[in-house]
Each structure stands twice: as structure tokens, then as C-alpha cells.
Amino acid sequence: SSLHASSPAMQAGQYTGNEFKDLKLAGPSSAAKAGLFCFFVLTRALHPTIIDASKTINSESGKRGIAYSNMSVVLGECVFTLIAAQLMALAFGGMKEWRMILEPKSLKVFSAIGFMYALGDYLEMASMGALSGAAYQVLLQSKLVITALMLWYIKGAKQAGLQWNLLVLIMLSMCVYMIGGSKSGSGGGGIPIMGVLNVLLKVTVSCLCAVLSDKYMKDFKNLPFYVQLAQLKVVWTLTILVISFADGTTWQQGFFNGWTPAACGVFSSFIVKCWSTMAILSMLDSVLKNIGEASAVLVIYFMNVCLPMFPDKFEVPSFLAVMVVILSVTAYVGSKSVVEKAALYDKLQK
């Protein structure tokens, strides 16, 4: 054919790399991806920083803590999102599209996922009450280790020796940062064990939610995004409501008790985080997401050092510990393609 006769290299059956140079790939442009990546890093950095900034000093203990009810801001975001998603369904598709929210098959699936997301929100606020924003974001990097263990157990997907070494390095670098933070005094006199455990539980729940959300949002792609979000928020809101009645503070002390402009910022931050996580981040691949999560650690660290509402000061050991965490995460993320290519090469040699 004329196609195969167009190039001597192609006549010989050789791939030159130029065959698809004019092919335009679907999806966001490079500039759009760069903008989304920066927005992702900013939202991931601002969310824990705003929660940290909303803390006040307890006059009795002298320690910084959250004065308002943890669940009040989370419940406020759930109610807002549930109402907003329904209004979008009515605005764009009328009652026909609104009734999709009550579709039994998808509602059952997204209700289960929403329940797990609610537990994640509770664990997040419980851990942030004891940890700084930077420490929280550093510990979130443990999701790479937990995901690797989950894939190994569930799918039998093994990691190469290089990848296990990098995962151990990530864990050790997180330990170094936490120990250094506790000695410098920013951790309140020691490592908050319950705060650390809550983060690890939050990460485990988040990993499950991410896998299930990605699968079922694609399975039910006939439903608009805001309909899926409304279905998620039904049980999500009910679960947070039950927790708020059981925590002994939200309703007993008054729902808006302790709310300051900073607490309103936390409420707004939860809204932005929810909508961006469910919509915009689907446009970024997993590599950029993981690098963005790691980059947010550095942004948070410098905000904690530079902003006047935080007691943190720039210290070389802490800065180096943060950099080791970031570089070990990016090295692990980058190792995936290298390991896959090496495995393919070994397979071809056999």
C-alpha cells in the first residue's frame, strides 16, 4: 500500500518514532494540565493550613486546639453540597434529572462510598486537632505504602526491590520529620500518637474511597457528575449528622459555638476540597496527583514559617526532612515506569 511504501524504515518494519508525531491526543492541553496541577497543589496546601490557622490557644492548658465543634464545619459542607447538587440537577435537567438521584442501583453503591467518605472526614478533623498542617500532609504520604500493601494483598501486584526500598525510605523520612517536630516544640511536647493513628486510618479509608469512586463513577457515567455527588452526599450527610449527635459538643454547646472567620474559612475550604476532588482532579493522572500531594508539603511548611499566626520558625533540620519526604515520594512515583520498562525488557530477552 502507499502507506507502507512511504518510508524505507517502515518498509523494513522498523518503528522510527515519527509515525504518530502529528497525532493530537485527547484531553486537557499541557497549559491546562499545568494550571490544574497548580490548583491541586494550592488546594491541598491551603486546606490543612486553614484548619491549623483556625486553632486557638486554650487558656487552661496553654496548647493550641480547635475551639469549635469538629463536625459543625463538616456537616455544614455536606448540607451545602447536597443542596447545591440538587439545584444543579433541577437547573440543568429539571425534575427528570433530579429523580436520577433516587435511582436505586447507583444510590445503593454511592451511599456505601459516601459512608466511608464521612468516616474519612471525621478522622481528618480528629487528627488535625492534634497535628500541625505540615505534619498532617507529611503523614498523608503513607498512602503510597498502604496502597502498595492493598494491591499486594488484593490483586497480588508485587513491588520491585527498588520500590520497596523507596517505600521504606518514605516511612523513615516521615518518622524523622515527626521526631524532629516534636523535639523542636511545635508538636506540643511529644508525638501525638492518637493524631498519627487517626491519619493512618484516614489514609486507609481514603485509599478505598478513591478506588471505589473511580470505578463506580465510570460504571455510572450515564449519570451527570452532580447527580453522582448528590447520591454520595445522602448517606455522607446522615453519617456526619449521627456523629455530631454522638460527639457530645456539636449540639450540646451550640452548632455555631466557637465559629470565627477562620472557622468559616475551614467550612469554605471543605467545600472547595470536595468539589475539586470529585471533578477537577479526574483530569490529572495518578503521577501528577502524587507529586502534587508531595509538593503541597513544602508549600504548607513555608506558609507555617512565614505566616504570623503560626509559631513555627525556619529550621534547617525540619526543612531538610521535608525535602527528603518530597524527593523520596517523587522518586517512588517515577520508579514505576522504570520498573515496568525493565520488566518488559527482561521478558523480551527470554
Side-chain angles (χ1 to χ4, degrees):
S1 66
S2 60
L3 176 63
H4 291 286
S6 61
S7 169
M10 293 184 73
Q11 285 180 347
Q14 297 177 358
Y15 175 69
T16 65
N18 295 321
E19 286 78 3
F20 303 103
K21 65 179 182 179
D22 295 325
L23 181 65
K24 292 184 179 180
L25 299 176
S29 64
S30 298
K33 279 189 176 181
L36 288 170
F37 177 78
C38 293
F39 178 77
F40 175 59
V41 173
L42 188 62
T43 54
R44 282 298 181 267
L46 283 176
H47 182 65
T49 303
I50 292 172
I51 296 176
D52 203 12
S54 70
K55 296 177 183 177
T56 54
I57 298 176
N58 188 303
S59 57
E60 295 180 1
S61 64
K63 294 183 179 180
R64 295 178 74 245
I66 297 175
Y68 54 90
S69 166
N70 290 350
M71 291 298 97
S72 62
V73 290
V74 180
L75 183 57
E77 179 276 321
C78 286
V79 172
F80 174 89
T81 299
L82 183 58
I83 293 173
Q86 292 182 78
L87 291 175
M88 288 178 69
L90 288 170
F92 295 131
M95 286 301 297
K96 180 181 178 182
E97 204 161 270
W98 183 86
R99 290 192 188 95
M100 290 181 180
I101 298 172
L102 304 176
E103 199 278 315
K105 187 177 180 182
S106 56
L107 181 60
K108 187 185 299 183
V109 171
F110 287 121
S111 292
I113 300 173
F115 173 75
M116 289 189 287
Y117 268 119
L119 293 181
D121 281 348
Y122 169 75
L123 292 168
E124 177 180 347
M125 290 303 293
S127 59
M128 279 298 299
L131 297 170
S132 68
Y136 174 78
Q137 191 68 22
V138 164
L139 289 172
L140 280 188
Q141 307 313 307
S142 62
K143 67 184 174 65
L144 296 173
V145 181
I146 292 173
T147 301
L149 293 173
M150 280 184 176
L151 291 174
W152 187 21
Y153 178 76
I154 297 172
K155 293 185 176 181
K158 296 181 179 180
Q159 304 280 314
L162 170 65
Q163 290 173 304
W164 281 121
N165 283 337
L166 290 171
L167 287 172
V168 172
L169 177 61
I170 292 170
M171 295 301 294
L172 292 177
S173 61
M174 290 191 299
C175 293
V176 169
Y177 179 83
M178 293 302 297
I179 293 171
S182 67
K183 286 183 177 179
S184 67
S186 60
I191 299 175
I193 301 300
M194 285 307 299
V196 173
L197 289 176
N198 283 331
V199 174
L200 295 179
L201 288 172
K202 148 75 176 172
V203 168
T204 304
V205 171
S206 295
C207 289
L208 283 171
C209 288
V211 172
L212 293 173
S213 295
D214 183 62
K215 170 180 169 51
Y216 288 107
M217 281 186 164
K218 289 177 180 176
D219 288 349
F220 294 103
K221 60 185 177 181
N222 60 306
L223 297 175
F225 156 72
Y226 41 84
V227 170
Q228 294 178 341
L229 187 55
Q231 291 184 326
L232 279 170
K233 281 296 177 180
V234 171
V235 171
W236 192 335
T237 303
L238 291 174
T239 304
I240 295 297
L241 183 62
V242 171
I243 294 173
S244 71
F245 279 111
D247 66 5
T249 58
T250 302
W251 302 102
Q252 290 81 347
Q253 297 180 5
F255 186 84
F256 292 104
N257 181 56
W259 273 52
T260 61
C264 295
V266 175
F267 164 69
S268 302
S269 179
F270 264 103
I271 292 174
V272 173
K273 180 191 173 189
C274 175
W275 286 83
S276 63
T277 299
M278 297 297 174
I280 299 175
L281 301 185
S282 62
M283 302 177 190
L284 295 176
D285 58 38
S286 59
V287 173
L288 285 176
K289 288 179 186 177
N290 288 325
I291 293 175
E293 291 270 11
S295 301
V297 176
L298 188 62
V299 177
I300 293 172
Y301 177 75
F302 278 113
M303 284 195 291
N304 285 355
V305 169
C306 298
L307 296 177
M309 69 279 296
F310 298 111
D312 305 64
K313 295 181 180 179
F314 180 81
E315 295 176 346
V316 173
S318 297
F319 172 72
L320 293 178
V322 168
M323 290 305 301
V324 171
V325 172
I326 295 170
L327 292 175
S328 58
V329 169
T330 53
Y332 172 76
V333 172
S335 70
K336 183 180 179 181
S337 61
V338 176
V339 169
E340 288 175 348
K341 289 177 182 178
L344 181 61
Y345 177 80
D346 290 341
K347 187 177 180 180
L348 292 173
Q349 295 303 305
K350 292 180 181 179

